[in-house]
Amino acid sequence: MTNTAPPNTSPATDTVLETLADVLKQRRHAAPEDSYVASLHHKGLNKILEKVGEEATETLLAAKDADGGDETKHQALIAETADLWFHTLVMLSHLGMDHQDVLDELARRFGVSGHDEKAAR
């Protein structure tokens, strides 16, 4: 089987994101009492944004703890970052957007100076 992934991408990562996107789509319309994702969608965008903000704050605090910390602190940062990414994907899903749009934007930025990209916004 030929690997069709673009250079510098991981098929395993692509599979995880694709699988997660599929799960989020399936659970979006599930009964809120049966699915955490469905309960977030049912509560609306403001609740989802609240969760993104909460997870962002927890990620920042975990990063501060991980700076010079041990493996336990590093794993806590990984866990908080996973929570942040998850809730961000729920946010995109709620808005009818897809993670691939974000990946495409990141890919577009390769080879572009961060200073130039920021100035162009």
Side-chain angles (χ1 to χ4, degrees), residues 22-116:
D22 289 343
V23 169
L24 292 177
K25 282 181 194 174
Q26 292 169 6
R27 294 187 182 165
R28 180 174 181 174
H29 300 292
E33 60 274 4
D34 295 336
S35 164
Y36 175 68
V37 170
S39 72
L40 287 173
H41 285 294
H42 180 76
K43 292 173 184 173
L45 182 60
N46 284 345
K47 181 61 175 179
I48 295 168
L49 297 176
E50 178 183 308
K51 287 301 296 179
V52 171
E54 174 187 317
E55 297 303 339
T57 299
E58 291 174 1
T59 300
L60 295 174
L61 295 172
K64 293 287 281 179
D65 291 343
D67 186 28
D70 61 9
E71 183 62 24
T72 301
K73 298 293 185 184
H74 292 169
Q75 286 303 312
L77 175 56
I78 296 299
E80 292 301 342
T81 302
D83 289 346
L84 175 59
W85 288 11
F86 174 82
H87 287 90
T88 301
L89 291 170
V90 172
M91 175 193 67
L92 290 172
S93 172
H94 189 81
L95 295 169
M97 301 171 74
D98 190 84
H99 70 279
Q100 189 60 51
D101 298 327
V102 177
L103 295 176
D104 291 346
E105 176 61 17
L106 288 171
R108 183 193 66 76
R109 294 179 185 187
F110 280 110
V112 176
S113 159
H115 295 296
D116 292 343

